[in-house]
Amino acid sequence: MKILVTGSKGFIGKNLIAELRNRDYKDILECHRDTDYTLLEEYCEKADFVFHLAGVNRPQNEEEFDEGNLGFTSTLINTLEKYENCCPVIFASSAQAMLDNAYGSSKRAAEDLIFTHAKYNNSKALIYRLPNVFGKWCKPNYNSAIATFCYNVARNLPITVNDPSVNMNLVYIDDLVEELIRGLDDNQNIVDNFCEVPTTHTTTLGEIVELINSFKKSREERSIPNMNNALSKKLYSTYLSYLPEDKFSYDLKMNVDQRGSFTEFIKTMDRGQVSINVSKPGITKGNHWHHTKNEKFLVVSGNGVIRFRKIDSEEVIEYFVSGEKMEVVDIPTGYTHNIENLGKTDMVTVMWANELFDPEKPDTYYLEV
C-alpha cells in the first residue's frame, strides 16, 4: 500500500510516519511544504491512501489561512481527481471549524471540499475535528500551549497564563495516531459524520501548568508523578521530551561513610521508595526491625548474606545472595535483619521500602541479629 502523508514534517505527520514504519508500512510518500508540485502529482497518481495533515495555524496574516488550508487542500483534491484517484482521504481538521474565525472558516471550507470530492467519486472521506493535540515533537512557542509550557519550564524560562480556569480538551498524540491507523484499517470511530479520537482529556489550563511544574520539581525530590492518572502519565512523557539535551541526568544525594553508601533513587506517594545500597567488603549493615514497614532486597553486584531473626526467637535464618543469581528477598515485619558483604568487591543492593522514610516516625528499631 502506498500511503501519501501531507504535512509529513509536522508534529502529527512525524509521529504518524514513525508508527507506520514501526508497523512495517514501507511505501510512505512524504509531502511537506518544500515538496515540488511535480512530485506531489506523482504521489497523487499512485497513492492508495491519503493522510492530509498539512495546514497553517499560525500565519503572518489571516490570508495565509485560506492559502495554506483551503488552497492546498484544493490543490490536493484537484490533483487526485486529475488522475481519477478515488482512494480514501483522512483529513486532520480542527475543533475550531465550528467557530466563526479565519482559521476555523478555512478548515471548514477544506472539509467541504473533501466531503464533496468523496460524494462525487463514491470514495471515503474521514475528517477529524481535533481539539488540542499534545505530545513529543510538537514545536514550542508556536501553536501548542503545552509544548511551550514544557519547553520553558524545563529551561527555567517564564510562562504566561492569562486565565488558569480556562477549560482545555486534549488529545495525546499516541492516541491520535492509533485512531488514524484504525482509519487506515477501516475501523475508525465515527460520530455524526465526523471521526473522533475515543480517548480525550478535559482539564483546566491552571491544572496543566501545576502538573508541569510538579514534573520539574519531581526530579529535585526524586519522586515519580501519579502514573495511575492517564493525563498525568502522558503529560509527564511529553515534558521529558522537552528536556534540554544536556539536562537528561540529575544528581542524587549519596550518604557516604566508611561502610559504603546509601542513596535514595525514586520516591512515590503510593508505592514506596527505591534506594541503592553499596556495602564495602566485610561490612554488615542493618541490625534493625520494623512494625509495619516492609522491604525487598535485590543484590545486583557482589555477594553476601541476609540474616533474619524473629525478635522473640534465637533462631537465625540466612539467605545467601549474589549478583550472579537475581533473586528478591522479602524483609518481613517483626524480624530483625542485616546484610553482610561476603565478597572482595563492593556489593550493590537495590532496596525497596513500602513507604517513604519519615524521620518523625521511622518505624526502625535497633536490634542485633
mmCIF file of all heavy atoms in Angstrom, residues 245-282:
data_model
loop_
_atom_site.group_PDB
_atom_site.id
_atom_site.type_symbol
_atom_site.label_atom_id
_atom_site.label_comp_id
_atom_site.label_asym_id
_atom_site.label_seq_id
_atom_site.Cartn_x
_atom_site.Cartn_y
_atom_site.Cartn_z
ATOM 1 N N GLU A 245 19.077 18.856 26.071
ATOM 2 C CA GLU A 245 19.853 17.637 25.855
ATOM 3 C C GLU A 245 21.023 17.494 26.823
ATOM 4 O O GLU A 245 21.557 16.391 26.979
ATOM 5 C CB GLU A 245 20.338 17.581 24.405
ATOM 6 C CG GLU A 245 19.184 17.387 23.428
ATOM 7 C CD GLU A 245 19.641 17.229 21.997
ATOM 8 O OE1 GLU A 245 20.854 17.382 21.734
ATOM 9 O OE2 GLU A 245 18.792 16.949 21.122
ATOM 10 N N ASP A 246 21.421 18.586 27.466
ATOM 11 C CA ASP A 246 22.484 18.480 28.468
ATOM 12 C C ASP A 246 21.924 18.378 29.881
ATOM 13 O O ASP A 246 22.652 18.479 30.860
ATOM 14 C CB ASP A 246 23.440 19.681 28.372
ATOM 15 C CG ASP A 246 22.743 21.008 28.625
ATOM 16 O OD1 ASP A 246 21.486 21.054 28.607
ATOM 17 O OD2 ASP A 246 23.441 22.026 28.842
ATOM 18 N N LYS A 247 20.585 18.162 29.979
ATOM 19 C CA LYS A 247 19.942 18.080 31.293
ATOM 20 C C LYS A 247 19.138 16.788 31.458
ATOM 21 O O LYS A 247 18.222 16.728 32.280
ATOM 22 C CB LYS A 247 19.011 19.285 31.501
ATOM 23 C CG LYS A 247 19.707 20.636 31.478
ATOM 24 C CD LYS A 247 20.679 20.803 32.635
ATOM 25 C CE LYS A 247 21.327 22.192 32.622
ATOM 26 N NZ LYS A 247 22.340 22.330 33.689
ATOM 27 N N PHE A 248 19.474 15.759 30.701
ATOM 28 C CA PHE A 248 18.766 14.493 30.868
ATOM 29 C C PHE A 248 19.050 13.881 32.242
ATOM 30 O O PHE A 248 18.206 13.202 32.813
ATOM 31 C CB PHE A 248 19.187 13.490 29.783
ATOM 32 C CG PHE A 248 18.659 13.807 28.406
ATOM 33 C CD1 PHE A 248 19.014 13.018 27.331
ATOM 34 C CD2 PHE A 248 17.809 14.875 28.179
ATOM 35 C CE1 PHE A 248 18.532 13.283 26.057
ATOM 36 C CE2 PHE A 248 17.325 15.161 26.913
ATOM 37 C CZ PHE A 248 17.688 14.362 25.846
ATOM 38 N N SER A 249 20.243 14.106 32.770
ATOM 39 C CA SER A 249 20.614 13.494 34.052
ATOM 40 C C SER A 249 20.445 14.499 35.190
ATOM 41 O O SER A 249 20.407 15.714 34.966
ATOM 42 C CB SER A 249 22.063 13.015 34.011
ATOM 43 O OG SER A 249 22.953 14.118 33.970
ATOM 44 N N TYR A 250 20.330 13.981 36.403
ATOM 45 C CA TYR A 250 20.310 14.832 37.594
ATOM 46 C C TYR A 250 20.961 14.075 38.747
ATOM 47 O O TYR A 250 20.929 12.843 38.803
ATOM 48 C CB TYR A 250 18.890 15.283 37.955
ATOM 49 C CG TYR A 250 17.888 14.168 38.175
ATOM 50 C CD1 TYR A 250 17.564 13.721 39.456
ATOM 51 C CD2 TYR A 250 17.231 13.579 37.092
ATOM 52 C CE1 TYR A 250 16.632 12.726 39.659
ATOM 53 C CE2 TYR A 250 16.300 12.574 37.282
ATOM 54 C CZ TYR A 250 16.003 12.160 38.557
ATOM 55 O OH TYR A 250 15.078 11.155 38.759
ATOM 56 N N ASP A 251 21.573 14.837 39.632
ATOM 57 C CA ASP A 251 22.341 14.240 40.714
ATOM 58 C C ASP A 251 21.446 13.714 41.820
ATOM 59 O O ASP A 251 20.339 14.219 42.059
ATOM 60 C CB ASP A 251 23.315 15.268 41.309
ATOM 61 C CG ASP A 251 24.404 15.664 40.331
ATOM 62 O OD1 ASP A 251 24.735 14.837 39.467
ATOM 63 O OD2 ASP A 251 24.913 16.802 40.439
ATOM 64 N N LEU A 252 21.926 12.700 42.510
ATOM 65 C CA LEU A 252 21.285 12.181 43.710
ATOM 66 C C LEU A 252 22.200 12.430 44.902
ATOM 67 O O LEU A 252 23.415 12.501 44.760
ATOM 68 C CB LEU A 252 21.018 10.679 43.573
ATOM 69 C CG LEU A 252 20.067 10.250 42.454
ATOM 70 C CD1 LEU A 252 19.985 8.722 42.393
ATOM 71 C CD2 LEU A 252 18.682 10.837 42.652
ATOM 72 N N LYS A 253 21.593 12.535 46.065
ATOM 73 C CA LYS A 253 22.368 12.730 47.280
ATOM 74 C C LYS A 253 22.852 11.383 47.800
ATOM 75 O O LYS A 253 22.056 10.543 48.234
ATOM 76 C CB LYS A 253 21.542 13.433 48.354
ATOM 77 C CG LYS A 253 22.313 13.676 49.639
ATOM 78 C CD LYS A 253 21.426 14.247 50.733
ATOM 79 C CE LYS A 253 22.215 14.395 52.038
ATOM 80 N NZ LYS A 253 21.354 14.865 53.153
ATOM 81 N N MET A 254 24.166 11.156 47.762
ATOM 82 C CA MET A 254 24.746 9.918 48.271
ATOM 83 C C MET A 254 25.142 10.105 49.736
ATOM 84 O O MET A 254 25.867 11.042 50.080
ATOM 85 C CB MET A 254 25.972 9.525 47.460
ATOM 86 C CG MET A 254 25.686 9.177 46.006
ATOM 87 S SD MET A 254 27.188 8.696 45.090
ATOM 88 C CE MET A 254 27.654 7.185 45.943
ATOM 89 N N ASN A 255 24.621 9.261 50.597
ATOM 90 C CA ASN A 255 25.005 9.273 52.005
ATOM 91 C C ASN A 255 26.170 8.294 52.157
ATOM 92 O O ASN A 255 25.976 7.073 52.167
ATOM 93 C CB ASN A 255 23.818 8.864 52.875
ATOM 94 C CG ASN A 255 22.632 9.804 52.688
ATOM 95 O OD1 ASN A 255 22.666 10.958 53.115
ATOM 96 N ND2 ASN A 255 21.599 9.333 52.010
ATOM 97 N N VAL A 256 27.376 8.833 52.248
ATOM 98 C CA VAL A 256 28.591 8.028 52.188
ATOM 99 C C VAL A 256 29.276 7.987 53.549
ATOM 100 O O VAL A 256 29.370 9.009 54.251
ATOM 101 C CB VAL A 256 29.563 8.604 51.133
ATOM 102 C CG1 VAL A 256 30.825 7.755 51.043
ATOM 103 C CG2 VAL A 256 28.880 8.710 49.769
ATOM 104 N N ASP A 257 29.746 6.804 53.948
ATOM 105 C CA ASP A 257 30.596 6.674 55.123
ATOM 106 C C ASP A 257 31.583 5.538 54.862
ATOM 107 O O ASP A 257 31.668 5.031 53.731
ATOM 108 C CB ASP A 257 29.780 6.443 56.410
ATOM 109 C CG ASP A 257 28.901 5.205 56.354
ATOM 110 O OD1 ASP A 257 29.218 4.277 55.569
ATOM 111 O OD2 ASP A 257 27.892 5.146 57.071
ATOM 112 N N GLN A 258 32.320 5.111 55.886
ATOM 113 C CA GLN A 258 33.355 4.103 55.693
ATOM 114 C C GLN A 258 32.778 2.738 55.329
ATOM 115 O O GLN A 258 33.483 1.855 54.831
ATOM 116 C CB GLN A 258 34.223 3.984 56.962
ATOM 117 C CG GLN A 258 33.544 3.319 58.145
ATOM 118 C CD GLN A 258 32.653 4.285 58.926
ATOM 119 O OE1 GLN A 258 32.490 5.441 58.531
ATOM 120 N NE2 GLN A 258 32.106 3.812 60.037
ATOM 121 N N ARG A 259 31.486 2.554 55.536
ATOM 122 C CA ARG A 259 30.858 1.266 55.221
ATOM 123 C C ARG A 259 30.449 1.158 53.756
ATOM 124 O O ARG A 259 30.238 0.070 53.248
ATOM 125 C CB ARG A 259 29.620 1.063 56.094
ATOM 126 C CG ARG A 259 29.881 1.103 57.598
ATOM 127 C CD ARG A 259 28.566 1.036 58.358
ATOM 128 N NE ARG A 259 27.673 2.127 57.951
ATOM 129 C CZ ARG A 259 26.357 2.121 58.147
ATOM 130 N NH1 ARG A 259 25.781 1.069 58.718
ATOM 131 N NH2 ARG A 259 25.625 3.153 57.775
ATOM 132 N N GLY A 260 30.298 2.319 53.090
ATOM 133 C CA GLY A 260 29.815 2.336 51.705
ATOM 134 C C GLY A 260 28.933 3.552 51.485
ATOM 135 O O GLY A 260 29.291 4.665 51.866
ATOM 136 N N SER A 261 27.751 3.344 50.911
ATOM 137 C CA SER A 261 26.849 4.468 50.664
ATOM 138 C C SER A 261 25.408 3.980 50.622
ATOM 139 O O SER A 261 25.128 2.789 50.439
ATOM 140 C CB SER A 261 27.201 5.176 49.348
ATOM 141 O OG SER A 261 26.998 4.315 48.246
ATOM 142 N N PHE A 262 24.506 4.945 50.792
ATOM 143 C CA PHE A 262 23.073 4.680 50.694
ATOM 144 C C PHE A 262 22.457 5.869 49.972
ATOM 145 O O PHE A 262 22.617 7.014 50.403
ATOM 146 C CB PHE A 262 22.439 4.492 52.073
ATOM 147 C CG PHE A 262 20.966 4.168 52.019
ATOM 148 C CD1 PHE A 262 20.541 2.865 51.796
ATOM 149 C CD2 PHE A 262 20.011 5.163 52.183
ATOM 150 C CE1 PHE A 262 19.187 2.557 51.744
ATOM 151 C CE2 PHE A 262 18.663 4.865 52.134
ATOM 152 C CZ PHE A 262 18.240 3.566 51.918
ATOM 153 N N THR A 263 21.739 5.615 48.865
ATOM 154 C CA THR A 263 21.229 6.696 48.025
ATOM 155 C C THR A 263 19.778 6.439 47.662
ATOM 156 O O THR A 263 19.440 5.383 47.105
ATOM 157 C CB THR A 263 22.048 6.801 46.715
ATOM 158 O OG1 THR A 263 23.434 6.926 47.037
ATOM 159 C CG2 THR A 263 21.601 7.988 45.893
ATOM 160 N N GLU A 264 18.919 7.388 47.993
ATOM 161 C CA GLU A 264 17.517 7.293 47.603
ATOM 162 C C GLU A 264 17.397 7.585 46.114
ATOM 163 O O GLU A 264 17.894 8.599 45.621
ATOM 164 C CB GLU A 264 16.673 8.281 48.409
ATOM 165 C CG GLU A 264 16.602 7.935 49.882
ATOM 166 C CD GLU A 264 15.806 8.965 50.682
ATOM 167 O OE1 GLU A 264 15.809 10.145 50.281
ATOM 168 O OE2 GLU A 264 15.177 8.590 51.686
ATOM 169 N N PHE A 265 16.708 6.701 45.384
ATOM 170 C CA PHE A 265 16.616 6.801 43.936
ATOM 171 C C PHE A 265 15.247 7.333 43.496
ATOM 172 O O PHE A 265 15.138 8.351 42.825
ATOM 173 C CB PHE A 265 16.897 5.418 43.330
ATOM 174 C CG PHE A 265 16.671 5.301 41.849
ATOM 175 C CD1 PHE A 265 16.849 6.380 40.988
ATOM 176 C CD2 PHE A 265 16.279 4.084 41.301
ATOM 177 C CE1 PHE A 265 16.638 6.251 39.625
ATOM 178 C CE2 PHE A 265 16.073 3.941 39.940
ATOM 179 C CZ PHE A 265 16.244 5.035 39.105
ATOM 180 N N ILE A 266 14.170 6.638 43.881
ATOM 181 C CA ILE A 266 12.820 7.009 43.454
ATOM 182 C C ILE A 266 11.890 6.987 44.658
ATOM 183 O O ILE A 266 11.917 6.055 45.464
ATOM 184 C CB ILE A 266 12.296 6.029 42.379
ATOM 185 C CG1 ILE A 266 13.062 6.205 41.067
ATOM 186 C CG2 ILE A 266 10.809 6.220 42.136
ATOM 187 C CD1 ILE A 266 12.674 5.181 40.010
ATOM 188 N N LYS A 267 11.036 8.022 44.739
ATOM 189 C CA LYS A 267 10.010 8.078 45.775
ATOM 190 C C LYS A 267 8.635 8.194 45.120
ATOM 191 O O LYS A 267 8.470 8.924 44.142
ATOM 192 C CB LYS A 267 10.222 9.289 46.686
ATOM 193 C CG LYS A 267 11.494 9.239 47.509
ATOM 194 C CD LYS A 267 11.572 10.469 48.408
ATOM 195 C CE LYS A 267 12.775 10.427 49.332
ATOM 196 N NZ LYS A 267 12.826 11.596 50.230
ATOM 197 N N THR A 268 7.663 7.471 45.659
ATOM 198 C CA THR A 268 6.286 7.598 45.195
ATOM 199 C C THR A 268 5.385 7.737 46.411
ATOM 200 O O THR A 268 5.710 7.256 47.499
ATOM 201 C CB THR A 268 5.836 6.368 44.382
ATOM 202 O OG1 THR A 268 5.731 5.236 45.253
ATOM 203 C CG2 THR A 268 6.824 6.053 43.266
ATOM 204 N N MET A 269 4.235 8.366 46.217
ATOM 205 C CA MET A 269 3.324 8.554 47.334
ATOM 206 C C MET A 269 2.577 7.279 47.696
ATOM 207 O O MET A 269 2.181 7.086 48.832
ATOM 208 C CB MET A 269 2.309 9.663 47.007
ATOM 209 C CG MET A 269 2.939 11.050 46.892
ATOM 210 S SD MET A 269 3.897 11.520 48.366
ATOM 211 C CE MET A 269 2.595 11.537 49.609
ATOM 212 N N ASP A 270 2.383 6.375 46.723
ATOM 213 C CA ASP A 270 1.550 5.203 46.982
ATOM 214 C C ASP A 270 2.249 3.873 46.722
ATOM 215 O O ASP A 270 1.649 2.816 46.902
ATOM 216 C CB ASP A 270 0.266 5.276 46.136
ATOM 217 C CG ASP A 270 0.568 5.265 44.647
ATOM 218 O OD1 ASP A 270 1.711 5.561 44.280
ATOM 219 O OD2 ASP A 270 -0.349 4.951 43.864
ATOM 220 N N ARG A 271 3.517 3.914 46.304
ATOM 221 C CA ARG A 271 4.232 2.671 46.017
ATOM 222 C C ARG A 271 5.596 2.625 46.709
ATOM 223 O O ARG A 271 6.457 1.853 46.335
ATOM 224 C CB ARG A 271 4.421 2.488 44.511
ATOM 225 C CG ARG A 271 3.139 2.267 43.711
ATOM 226 C CD ARG A 271 2.493 0.935 44.049
ATOM 227 N NE ARG A 271 1.346 0.652 43.201
ATOM 228 C CZ ARG A 271 0.103 1.043 43.449
ATOM 229 N NH1 ARG A 271 -0.154 1.746 44.536
ATOM 230 N NH2 ARG A 271 -0.879 0.728 42.625
ATOM 231 N N GLY A 272 5.790 3.454 47.727
ATOM 232 C CA GLY A 272 7.024 3.415 48.487
ATOM 233 C C GLY A 272 8.190 4.042 47.759
ATOM 234 O O GLY A 272 8.018 4.874 46.866
ATOM 235 N N GLN A 273 9.403 3.639 48.131
ATOM 236 C CA GLN A 273 10.589 4.233 47.543
ATOM 237 C C GLN A 273 11.642 3.174 47.242
ATOM 238 O O GLN A 273 11.653 2.092 47.828
ATOM 239 C CB GLN A 273 11.168 5.315 48.453
ATOM 240 C CG GLN A 273 11.813 4.824 49.740
ATOM 241 C CD GLN A 273 12.405 5.978 50.538
ATOM 242 O OE1 GLN A 273 11.727 6.939 50.880
ATOM 243 N NE2 GLN A 273 13.688 5.876 50.851
ATOM 244 N N VAL A 274 12.523 3.515 46.299
ATOM 245 C CA VAL A 274 13.616 2.633 45.894
ATOM 246 C C VAL A 274 14.932 3.327 46.213
ATOM 247 O O VAL A 274 15.099 4.520 45.938
ATOM 248 C CB VAL A 274 13.547 2.309 44.384
ATOM 249 C CG1 VAL A 274 14.725 1.431 43.978
ATOM 250 C CG2 VAL A 274 12.220 1.639 44.044
ATOM 251 N N SER A 275 15.866 2.587 46.797
ATOM 252 C CA SER A 275 17.173 3.125 47.149
ATOM 253 C C SER A 275 18.254 2.155 46.692
ATOM 254 O O SER A 275 17.991 0.967 46.448
ATOM 255 C CB SER A 275 17.280 3.352 48.661
ATOM 256 O OG SER A 275 16.237 4.200 49.123
ATOM 257 N N ILE A 276 19.485 2.674 46.601
ATOM 258 C CA ILE A 276 20.630 1.864 46.204
ATOM 259 C C ILE A 276 21.617 1.839 47.360
ATOM 260 O O ILE A 276 22.071 2.889 47.824
ATOM 261 C CB ILE A 276 21.317 2.433 44.944
ATOM 262 C CG1 ILE A 276 20.299 2.629 43.820
ATOM 263 C CG2 ILE A 276 22.456 1.522 44.516
ATOM 264 C CD1 ILE A 276 19.603 1.378 43.356
ATOM 265 N N ASN A 277 21.917 0.629 47.818
ATOM 266 C CA ASN A 277 22.836 0.462 48.939
ATOM 267 C C ASN A 277 24.147 -0.172 48.449
ATOM 268 O O ASN A 277 24.131 -1.195 47.753
ATOM 269 C CB ASN A 277 22.204 -0.442 50.001
ATOM 270 C CG ASN A 277 23.108 -0.614 51.211
ATOM 271 O OD1 ASN A 277 23.254 0.284 52.024
ATOM 272 N ND2 ASN A 277 23.710 -1.794 51.321
ATOM 273 N N VAL A 278 25.274 0.451 48.789
ATOM 274 C CA VAL A 278 26.585 -0.092 48.452
ATOM 275 C C VAL A 278 27.309 -0.445 49.754
ATOM 276 O O VAL A 278 27.468 0.419 50.630
ATOM 277 C CB VAL A 278 27.418 0.910 47.633
ATOM 278 C CG1 VAL A 278 28.806 0.329 47.338
ATOM 279 C CG2 VAL A 278 26.704 1.267 46.326
ATOM 280 N N SER A 279 27.713 -1.700 49.875
ATOM 281 C CA SER A 279 28.420 -2.173 51.069
ATOM 282 C C SER A 279 29.855 -2.547 50.708
ATOM 283 O O SER A 279 30.083 -3.283 49.740
ATOM 284 C CB SER A 279 27.722 -3.394 51.666
ATOM 285 O OG SER A 279 26.399 -3.093 52.047
ATOM 286 N N LYS A 280 30.808 -2.061 51.485
ATOM 287 C CA LYS A 280 32.208 -2.412 51.288
ATOM 288 C C LYS A 280 32.445 -3.868 51.740
ATOM 289 O O LYS A 280 31.666 -4.421 52.528
ATOM 290 C CB LYS A 280 33.110 -1.467 52.091
ATOM 291 C CG LYS A 280 33.056 -0.008 51.637
ATOM 292 C CD LYS A 280 33.639 0.156 50.260
ATOM 293 C CE LYS A 280 33.649 1.607 49.819
ATOM 294 N NZ LYS A 280 34.180 1.757 48.437
ATOM 295 N N PRO A 281 33.517 -4.510 51.258
ATOM 296 C CA PRO A 281 33.815 -5.890 51.662
ATOM 297 C C PRO A 281 33.886 -6.030 53.181
ATOM 298 O O PRO A 281 34.497 -5.203 53.872
ATOM 299 C CB PRO A 281 35.171 -6.163 51.009
ATOM 300 C CG PRO A 281 35.189 -5.267 49.809
ATOM 301 C CD PRO A 281 34.475 -4.019 50.242
ATOM 302 N N GLY A 282 33.255 -7.072 53.701
ATOM 303 C CA GLY A 282 33.281 -7.360 55.132
ATOM 304 C C GLY A 282 32.322 -6.535 55.967
ATOM 305 O O GLY A 282 32.226 -6.739 57.182
#
